[in-house]
Amino acid sequence: MTIRVLLVDDEELVRGGLRAILEARHDIEVVGEAADGAVVVPLTASLRPDVVVMDIRMPLVDGIQATRDLRRRLDEPPRVLVVTTFGDDENVYAALHAGADGFLPKRARPAEIVDAVRVVARGDSLLFPAAIRALAARHVAPLQGPAASSRAVGGREVRSLTAREREILTLMARGLSNGEIAGELYLGLQTVKTHVSSLLRKLGARDRTQAVITAYESGLVPLT
């Protein structure tokens, strides 16, 4: 299956570089380009990309708001991969909150960019455990007391998770795949998948990245 990609960046040179990298692969097609987040929703509705590769900083509508608009205004939004400059931690965290499925630095190697597009296109989150933990540590006020693990963040009911779901979420925060979690807990792979689907639904999380962020923000998973 060919992965359809929309490139959104206000720098024409960057878009051209990304197009050259992605279209060199037989399974990826760049179906369109945009120079600002203001046109992302209508372009996506007409072009139907599988993945939007989105810059964060743009002059009119930034990538954070554009990602939020995609999630709110489209019934079947595409996957979103944000590409950032080094050290843009605050905006990366905001983009993940808005519903981005992963992030990459602009200095990433071509092979890393291609792999990232493929990962998010198949429905996985591009989750870097150490990076997510570091972001959370800088942007989440430490929670104190026994109620920390049961605090609902943004309407997400962390306290509704079962003991097994909490255990699996903790392993997800370490970056373990479903197969690795199954091995760690001596469970069947399908059982783990069922638990993951359940905890995502209970947390109101679109994917693993958002679930892990919620785990840190609620205090369920320690930041240290």
Side-chain angles (χ1 to χ4, degrees):
M1 182 188 75
T2 300
I3 301 169
R4 297 168 57 83
V5 175
L6 173 64
L7 302 175
V8 185
D9 195 296
D10 61 332
E11 295 185 34
E12 185 176 358
L13 186 61
V14 172
R15 297 198 309 272
L18 288 171
R19 176 183 282 274
I21 290 168
L22 296 174
E23 289 199 328
R25 301 310 200 269
H26 71 280
D27 60 333
I28 300 176
E29 176 188 6
V30 176
V31 297
E33 298 183 17
D36 195 85
V39 297
V40 167
V41 172
L43 264 184
T44 298
S46 63
L47 298 174
R48 305 307 300 170
D50 302 301
V51 178
V52 176
V53 178
M54 183 98 72
D55 187 22
I56 287 184
R57 299 192 180 205
M58 291 179 285
L60 297 178
V61 175
D62 63 27
I64 299 168
Q65 184 59 49
T67 298
R68 191 175 293 118
D69 290 343
L70 285 171
R71 299 288 176 245
R72 290 177 177 174
R73 295 169 58 184
L74 297 180
D75 292 334
E76 296 182 4
R79 310 291 287 182
V80 175
L81 176 65
V82 293
V83 184
T84 74
T85 55
F86 179 73
D88 200 14
D89 292 346
E90 183 175 352
N91 283 329
V92 168
Y93 200 72
L96 294 175
H97 252 297
D101 300 288
F103 64 93
L104 275 179
K106 285 191 174 181
R107 68 183 187 281
R109 297 189 299 271
E112 293 174 325
I113 295 171
V114 171
D115 184 58
V117 168
R118 288 171 175 161
V119 167
V120 299
R122 67 173 178 254
D124 294 332
S125 296
L126 197 64
L127 181 60
F128 301 102
I132 297 295
R133 186 172 61 252
L135 287 170
R138 285 192 285 272
H139 296 283
V140 178
L143 299 175
Q144 304 294 330
S149 64
S150 65
R151 176 181 170 182
V153 179
R156 297 164 182 165
E157 296 294 335
V158 174
R159 63 174 176 264
S160 68
L161 298 182
T162 66
R164 177 64 83 187
E165 288 166 350
R166 292 177 182 225
E167 188 175 22
I168 288 174
L169 181 53
T170 299
L171 295 176
M172 286 168 56
R174 285 170 42 192
L176 272 65
S177 66
N178 286 347
E180 291 168 334
I181 292 172
E184 181 88 6
L185 299 179
Y186 302 100
L187 296 173
L189 179 58
Q190 188 55 51
T191 299
V192 172
K193 289 181 177 179
T194 299
H195 283 306
V196 170
S197 295
S198 176
L199 71 88
L200 290 178
R201 175 178 49 78
K202 290 179 180 179
L203 294 177
R206 183 171 182 267
D207 53 34
R208 297 168 82 94
T209 298
Q210 290 193 330
V212 169
I213 289 174
T214 300
Y216 283 129
E217 291 183 337
S218 69
L220 179 64
V221 176
L223 289 168
T224 57

